[in-house]
Amino acid sequence: PFTYCTLYTLLCITSCNKPTLHLALGQGVRRLHVSAAFNAKAKVSMSRFEPSNYVSYEKLNENVNIVRKRLNRPLTLSEKIVYGHLDDPVGQDIARGHTYLRLRPDRVAMQDATAQMAMLQFISSGLPCVAVPSTIHCDHLIEAQIGGAKDLARAKDINAEVYNFLASAGAKYGVGFWKPGSGIIHQIILENYAYPGVLLIGTDSHTPNGGGLGSICIGVGGADAVDVMAGIPWELKCPKVIGVKLTGKLSGWTSPKDVILKVAGILTVKGGTGAIVEYHGPGVDSISCTGMATICNMGAEIGATTSVFPYNHRMKTYLEKTGRGDIASLADHYADLLVPDPGCEYDSIVEINLDELKPHINGPFTPDLAHPMADIGATAAKNGWPLEVKVGLIGSCTNSSYEDMGRSASVAKQALDKGLKCKAAFTITPGSEQIRATIERDGYSKILGDVGGMVLANACGPCIGQWDRRDVKKGEKNTIVTSYNRNFTARNDANPATHAFVASPEIVTALAIAGTLDFNPEVDYLTAANGEKFKLEPPSADELPKLDFDPGQDTYQHPPAEGGSKLRVDVSPTSTRLQLLEPFDKWAGGDLEDLQVLIKVKGKCTTDHISAAGPWLKFRGHLDNISNNMLIGAVNIENDGINKIKNQLTGEYGGVPDVARHYKANGLSWVVVGDDNYGEGSSREHAALEPRHLGGRCIIVKSFARIHETNLKKQGMLPLTFQIPADYDKIRPDDKISIKGLANFTPGKPLSAVVKHSDGSKDDFQLNHTFNETQIEWFQAGSALNRMKELQ
């Protein structure tokens, strides 16, 4: 087949050696096919890294017109981009919130922690090359400890085996490779790959960041990425569309971050599940492109499939400043395609007046606990939250733009001018090498350093728990404030007693200077070094640098021009960090009888609880080793213990993965029982792979987060929900559960459960599922990857 790799190779060869053009093109039909691609030079490339792949607004427009005529109604922007990428726009059944869509995404992006498993699965598929442009980004494995350069050097040494695997796998299979130090995946995508109307999937839950540039960017598990890289249509349940109408204008201390902090408070962590959040209204134009990206990024915190803004002049300016003026010009030509149709309807509407919006701070322990800054002091005192701010942390994939750094530097400069430095520890994480180099050139880094800040590596760092924190002991109650996106228990520093709050970078900077949570920069005063009382003025900064961005070091590895067919990707059988995958067993053909309840989980259970990050990231490429962290953060309802469950075969208590391994070794399959929004948070497919690997067959909960439910299906697990949520209360920690009706497993038809209690009594109830026919085939084959191999 004529793949992306083939064409890329031909273009690279012929651009360097014009006399070889005729030979490279070949003869006959194939020559005409490739010649057509060469003659398309007048078209606009998707990125400077892939000159042979073009922005296809013509195809998008054609599909949108087909669907609009079929549905006979105006379309939202979300619908235009999603339906515009349908594999079959003529025949696809479309019903928001009900049908499954088969889509053709334009590209795939993977961060290094998830890319390991994604590439291991792609290798298992037996395919020679990716079918769409794809990239790997090394941002997750760099631990913050003593500063950017030294932390990066240490990470390159510690993770050499993994980086070499990813670089060589990328080269062999045609995947671009962004080396460690390049920056955070979502910032790199915004700077280089996102553009209005593109459909991108990424193996990270904050992939929706690209919605700030008018893209539909969706977080998925690695198995979904493998489908797209293999050229298979990707399935997505047709999303509902929540409209957020913005009026008024941002000003003063209020920032784009406050928009999503407010929305999170309104919709909660599961209010966006199954929906795309589409921002619109006259208030949109008061928000910078990177500010819109911040808002879309944190849409993951309300469970949204993704978030998106309509194309406008702020996006055009950003495209031009990042070297993509040709895309901006083309987008101008198709501007009507890149905004919602007049008269389109949303499933629900949230309205926010930006003139009235005040700075917010959300937390602790959940990103939807929203507080206006004016209220946080009293609320903290009432709840016994520590007022002293131990550390302020700015940056991350959510808030590390040039504008973010500039507004923080504006606050810091005012303090310095009055002889003040931060009372709290203060860290700065640039989002990319380009941002790092530019803020260093323009003096922001010096200001932030002079006020007491430490610049960390261009990586995720403390946002994902990659933080060697030493200023407090584990279990010590303390407060930190961040401009990150998540603040689940122990998320940042592995300390369950850390109260983490989320705010804008400028608010975090102000709180780090003041050193106390109850400081409201809108009304409160600081004391200068000379004893004078003064108020901080609202921050101001350029949206984009007056000069061009400084690209910094070149950290991108192109796939080889000659292709990777002769390259090898070796995985040592003795490695503790990488492990080739073995296929999971197929469904045996009958019901699942007497599954032992492994753990009945109490309350919130995120993917961090199911498969912790932090120090466990080093095992992301070794399924057996990382499975030792399975559910070690979940709360056992039997004893309120963490990682302490009863082994029903021995009567002894042990860690969750240890008991699971013992059950598996003794041929006993098991089930997990959970609460609402099970699996919220990161796109982490390890949270689905690990239960499958250790002998789990089924997860029964009140409700699932979208990505985790799909990940479980991909691995041959049964994610089921109580038809009556109160049935959760009927299950006891020592029960055995049989899942009935699998011989007639069909879409829309509930399965049933028979629960055997240790006292001899039984309970029966119905279990709902969201499987479609294709997903049932995954279950029957043992996994989606197994099914892919069957179809080859």
Side-chain angles (χ1 to χ4, degrees):
F2 191 86
T3 65
Y4 154 66
C5 292
T6 309
L7 182 55
Y8 180 83
T9 300
L10 289 169
L11 281 171
C12 290
I13 294 170
T14 55
S15 64
C16 297
N17 189 5
K18 291 182 179 178
T20 65
L21 178 62
H22 181 81
L23 290 174
L25 291 177
Q27 303 293 330
V29 174
R30 184 170 181 274
R31 186 179 195 280
L32 290 173
H33 179 84
V34 184
S35 293
F38 273 89
N39 291 333
K41 284 190 175 181
K43 297 181 179 179
V44 175
S45 297
M46 291 170 64
S47 83
R48 63 189 175 93
F49 303 104
E50 295 124 4
S52 60
N53 286 268
Y54 304 108
V55 177
S56 186
Y57 286 146
E58 299 92 340
K59 181 64 174 176
L60 184 70
N61 195 46
E62 178 186 332
N63 286 358
V64 167
N65 286 333
I66 291 170
V67 174
R68 187 189 286 114
K69 186 175 181 180
R70 283 182 54 203
L71 299 181
N72 193 30
R73 61 172 174 81
L75 301 177
T76 67
L77 172 60
S78 310
E79 291 180 304
K80 286 182 177 182
I81 302 175
V82 172
Y83 303 162
H85 286 83
L86 285 169
D87 185 50
D88 178 16
V90 175
Q92 171 71 60
D93 189 16
I94 300 171
R96 292 200 314 217
H98 296 287
T99 58
Y100 279 87
L101 306 179
R102 292 168 64 81
L103 302 168
R104 291 286 185 177
D106 296 302
R107 65 180 310 118
V108 172
M110 300 166 281
Q111 40 95 334
D112 50 356
T114 52
Q116 295 172 63
M117 194 56 66
M119 292 309 296
L120 286 166
Q121 290 179 87
F122 188 82
I123 290 169
S124 296
S125 76
L127 296 168
C129 184
V130 296
V132 301
S134 304
T135 49
I136 294 168
H137 304 259
C138 295
D139 62 359
H140 269 57
L141 300 178
I142 302 167
E143 184 182 53
Q145 190 180 76
I146 54 178
K150 292 182 178 179
D151 290 346
L152 176 60
R154 188 176 70 255
K156 287 180 177 179
D157 179 52
I158 293 171
N159 302 307
E161 179 186 17
V162 171
Y163 291 148
N164 289 339
F165 166 74
L166 293 173
S168 60
K172 181 171 180 62
Y173 296 105
V175 178
F177 180 71
W178 288 85
K179 301 172 187 176
S182 301
I184 304 172
I185 176 172
H186 312 303
Q187 183 69 28
I188 297 292
I189 288 172
L190 200 72
E191 292 173 354
N192 297 280
Y193 298 117
Y195 61 82
V198 74
L199 176 61
L200 177 152
I201 66 165
T203 58
D204 189 280
S205 56
H206 291 102
T207 301
N209 190 78
L213 203 42
S215 311
I216 290 292
C217 299
I218 302 176
V220 300
D224 279 345
V226 172
D227 280 354
V228 179
M229 290 191 292
I232 296 172
W234 171 61
E235 283 199 340
L236 175 72
K237 192 169 189 179
C238 188
K240 294 182 178 181
V241 187
I242 298 172
V244 177
K245 183 178 180 180
L246 302 178
T247 58
K249 184 179 180 180
L250 288 177
S251 62
W253 282 92
T254 306
S255 74
K257 184 64 162 266
D258 298 305
V259 176
I260 186 58
L261 295 178
K262 177 72 173 179
V263 170
I266 295 169
L267 293 179
T268 78
V269 290
K270 61 179 183 177
T273 302
I276 294 176
V277 178
E278 184 172 312
Y279 293 85
H280 63 283
V284 166
D285 285 343
S286 75
I287 305 173
S288 66
C289 178
T290 52
M292 290 186 267
T294 291
I295 294 167
C296 291
N297 179 293
M298 266 195 74
E301 272 51 74
I302 56 174
T305 300
T306 192
S307 302
V308 69
F309 278 82
Y311 178 63
N312 68 358
H313 71 282
R314 309 298 284 263
M315 295 183 192
K316 179 178 181 177
T317 302
Y318 185 80
L319 285 168
E320 291 170 340
K321 203 69 175 179
T322 52
R324 294 172 288 169
D326 50 353
I327 294 180
S329 297
L330 192 62
D332 284 344
H333 184 73
Y334 285 93
D336 288 346
L337 180 64
L338 305 172
V339 297
D341 286 341
C344 68
E345 294 187 0
Y346 298 98
D347 292 284
S348 60
I349 291 278
V350 174
E351 295 194 30
I352 296 177
N353 185 341
L354 301 180
D355 289 335
E356 299 174 355
L357 183 64
K358 289 292 187 179
H360 273 60
I361 184 167
N362 286 23
F365 307 123
T366 184
D368 60 345
L369 187 57
H371 318 277
M373 283 300 301
D375 299 342
I376 187 64
T379 304
K382 178 182 176 181
N383 289 284
W385 301 334
L387 286 177
E388 180 190 3
V389 174
K390 287 285 190 181
V391 191
L393 306 99
I394 65 169
S396 84
C397 68
T398 318
N399 277 110
S400 57
S401 68
Y402 184 82
E403 181 183 36
D404 288 329
M405 296 293 112
R407 285 173 67 88
S408 295
S410 173
V411 175
K413 180 70 163 57
Q414 295 178 59
L416 287 170
D417 288 346
K418 297 293 185 178
L420 296 185
K421 290 192 175 186
C422 292
K423 289 184 178 178
F426 186 43
T427 70
I428 302 98
T429 302
S432 68
E433 170 61 9
Q434 178 168 275
I435 294 296
R436 182 209 61 79
T438 306
I439 64 172
E440 187 170 307
R441 179 198 68 192
D442 293 351
Y444 292 166
S445 293
K446 185 177 189 309
I447 293 170
L448 295 170
D450 287 348
V451 84
M454 177 173 67
V455 177
L456 302 177
N458 314 322
C460 298
C463 183
I464 61 162
Q466 284 284 54
W467 184 17
D468 183 19
R469 188 182 181 193
R470 299 180 181 181
D471 64 302
V472 297
K473 295 179 180 179
K474 191 168 183 178
E476 181 180 338
K477 197 174 177 181
N478 73 101
T479 284
I480 65 172
V481 290
T482 83
S483 70
Y484 302 164
N485 40 50
R486 292 202 172 129
N487 57 347
F488 301 141
T489 302
R491 163 85 177 183
N492 302 121
D493 61 0
N495 181 5
T498 293
H499 292 55
F501 295 85
V502 178
S504 68
E506 50 266 50
I507 290 292
V508 171
T509 305
L511 292 178
I513 292 165
T516 181
L517 192 64
D518 58 359
F519 175 74
N520 180 1
E522 287 195 305
V523 297
D524 293 335
Y525 287 78
L526 294 170
T527 303
N530 63 3
E532 171 195 353
K533 298 287 185 180
F534 74 99
K535 264 177 61 176
L536 294 168
E537 295 296 321
S540 62
D542 292 331
E543 175 181 345
L544 294 163
K546 290 185 172 67
L547 303 174
D548 288 339
F549 278 107
D550 183 339
Q553 299 179 40
D554 182 5
T555 54
Y556 178 71
Q557 172 188 290
H558 285 273
E562 66 276 11
S565 60
K566 296 181 180 179
L567 300 177
R568 289 179 56 86
V569 180
D570 293 323
V571 175
S572 169
T574 60
S575 172
T576 61
R577 300 202 54 181
L578 296 166
Q579 181 186 47
L580 292 174
L581 297 175
E582 296 291 333
F584 291 127
D585 58 302
K586 294 183 178 182
W587 172 57
D591 291 333
L592 298 179
E593 300 285 354
D594 291 333
L595 302 176
Q596 179 67 56
V597 172
L598 177 70
I599 180 174
K600 183 179 178 182
V601 177
K602 177 182 178 181
K604 184 187 284 279
C605 189
T606 71
T607 49
D608 280 295
H609 295 94
I610 304 168
S611 177
W616 291 94
L617 284 171
K618 62 179 173 286
F619 297 126
R620 283 285 180 88
H622 197 293
L623 179 55
D624 193 56
N625 282 346
I626 199 170
S627 293
N628 289 323
N629 77 357
M630 186 191 73
L631 287 159
I632 61 174
V635 177
N636 178 11
I637 199 169
E638 180 189 11
N639 54 15
D640 284 338
I642 295 175
N643 201 29
K644 185 178 181 182
I645 61 172
K646 187 174 183 179
N647 185 325
Q648 301 300 329
L649 295 180
T650 66
E652 299 175 351
Y653 281 83
V656 181
D658 300 322
V659 174
R661 286 185 187 277
H662 187 258
Y663 288 166
K664 181 181 179 181
N666 285 274
L668 179 59
S669 296
W670 48 263
V671 59
V672 169
V673 178
D675 213 317
D676 263 319
N677 208 32
Y678 184 89
E680 73 172 271
S682 298
S683 65
R684 200 164 303 174
E685 68 177 330
H686 297 77
L689 281 159
E690 294 171 31
R692 183 75 162 101
H693 176 64
L694 294 185
R697 299 312 306 262
C698 181
I699 310 290
I700 306 173
V701 300
K702 293 179 182 178
S703 64
F704 282 101
R706 174 189 63 86
I707 300 176
H708 185 59
E709 182 181 25
T710 301
N711 286 345
L712 289 166
K713 292 177 183 177
K714 286 277 185 178
Q715 303 307 333
M717 293 284 285
L718 277 178
L720 305 173
T721 56
F722 296 102
Q723 194 170 84
I724 301 172
D727 285 339
Y728 167 88
D729 298 320
K730 296 178 181 178
I731 295 180
R732 305 169 191 171
D734 59 351
D735 285 342
K736 289 192 173 181
I737 302 177
S738 297
I739 308 298
K740 303 289 188 178
L742 290 173
N744 299 304
F745 194 8
T746 53
K749 182 180 179 181
L751 298 171
S752 59
V754 177
V755 182
K756 298 177 183 177
H757 304 300
S758 57
D759 62 6
S761 62
K762 292 183 179 181
D763 271 306
D764 299 282
F765 45 77
Q766 297 293 101
L767 298 171
N768 293 336
H769 66 84
T770 61
F771 280 81
N772 60 27
E773 291 180 357
T774 298
Q775 294 167 346
I776 290 171
E777 291 174 353
W778 299 344
F779 169 74
Q780 292 169 341
S783 70
L785 189 58
N786 287 359
R787 182 59 179 157
M788 183 192 298
K789 289 181 179 179
E790 289 177 355
L791 295 173
Q792 284 182 24

